[in-house]
Every structure is written in C-alpha cells, then in structure tokens.
Amino acid sequence: MEKLTEAQQAYQQIREAILRGELLPGQRLVEKDLVERYNLGRAAIRSALTRLQQEGLVESEAYRGAWVRVVSEEEALEILEARMVLESLAARYAAQKAGSKDVARLNEILELMRVKLEEGDLLGVSELNSLLHQTLLEISGHKTVQRLVEALRAQVVRHQFRTILVPGRSQRSLEEHQRIVEAVAAHDAEGAEKAMRAHLEGVIAALQQASRGVDV
C-alpha cells in the first residue's frame, strides 16, 4: 500500500476530526496548533486546509485565518435535496450491477443496524447508515456521483445525526433501507431509485422536524 504524504495525512486527520465533531463549526483552525496536534509540517497543514476549503468544510479570510465552516439548516436541507437526486441515480446503477457478494454485504450491514437499534445505540445506527450508503455508491460504480455525494455528505453529517433523535425515525430509516436493499437484490433499478428517493425525503422531513424542535 502506497504511503501517504504528509499533506494527505493532514487532510485525512483534520477532515475526520471535523466529521467526528472534535473540531466544531466556527472553531478557529490555527496552523501552529494543528502542527503540534498532528505532528506534521506547516506546509502539509496549509495544503490540507486549502483542500478542505474546496470541499466546503473549511472557510478562510485574509488576516482572519481559517475556521470550520458553519452550515445553516437551510443549506443542509438544500444539500440533502441534491443528494436525493444523486443517490437515487446511484441506487439505480447499483441495482443493475450488484452481484451476490454485494447483496450479502448490504444485508450484513442491515443486520448490524438492527442489532444496534435493539441495543439503543443510535450513534452506531447512524454510522452503519453512512456505511450502507457508501457501499451502495461503491456498487454503483458511478465515479462522478461518488465524488459529488462524498463532498455533499461531509458538509451535513452533523445536521443529519440530529435526525436519529426524532422519535421513531431510526426504525423507519431501517425499514426504508430494507426496501432499498430488496430492490437492489432484485435488480429492480426503478424500484431502487424510488426507494432511495423516499428514504432521503424521510431524512429531509426528519431534519425539518428536528429543526422545529417537535417531539425532540
């Protein structure tokens, strides 16, 4: 396996820290602090911040430095709408291309989601949710959709976690994913596309509900 450059290491580590919530929206990203935190060179940190800015995870201004970008609820909803179109297309392609091993992997993730839900581990359910979506993207083989969705998903990961706190949402989400996987397994391209669209419409509705503070 090819060894990562310092810039690649910095990019991956800072990106993961943002997605995990270790670096919070609006938090200043001081190069000196990041150099010490990750034990990497200043040039690598600067390169990583530039790349993360291009992805929409970081913002910067002259004389003010860089900080973790704050994504508003309105923008998060727009991003989810864009993902709905792209991931529905990916689900169609996945249904056309999925082999028996692909279907087995999807069902394995679904079963793990059921276990986590029964245990009340909502964070674990959310992480497996992301894994299932990523696996569907990989099965689709649609490189352009994969690239675009990855950038969009990273920007709303913190907002999307709030949706699992909506009562009953995790169970409905599991059922929606089940329908997606069933359509993919049946090579039902149209059904998979519709199921993915319905699922992400549910995510959008849950985020709107969470934003209003209804039953949360």
Side-chain angles (χ1 to χ4, degrees), residues 56-102:
L57 292 178
V58 168
E59 285 187 311
S60 68
E61 286 185 13
Y63 310 113
R64 287 187 60 195
W67 60 92
V68 180
R69 191 167 84 86
V70 178
V71 177
S72 69
E73 290 175 359
E74 180 180 4
E75 185 179 0
L77 290 169
E78 290 178 353
I79 289 170
L80 283 170
E81 287 176 339
R83 275 186 54 193
M84 182 170 62
V85 175
L86 291 166
E87 292 202 53
S88 295
L89 177 62
R92 171 178 283 276
Y93 273 75
Q96 293 170 344
K97 296 184 177 182
S100 58
K101 290 184 179 179
D102 297 320

Side-chain angles (χ1 to χ4, degrees), residues 108-152:
E108 178 185 345
I109 296 170
L110 274 177
E111 184 56 36
L112 290 171
M113 288 175 72
R114 289 192 190 92
V115 171
K116 293 294 184 182
L117 185 57
E118 290 172 1
E119 293 173 348
D121 183 359
L122 297 184
L123 179 58
V125 173
S126 181
E127 290 173 345
L128 288 166
N129 179 350
S130 296
L131 177 59
L132 191 142
H133 280 258
Q134 181 61 41
T135 303
L136 283 166
L137 285 168
E138 291 170 0
I139 294 170
S140 78
H142 199 304
K143 301 299 183 185
T144 299
V145 168
Q146 288 179 36
R147 184 177 68 254
L148 293 171
V149 169
E150 178 62 23
L152 291 171

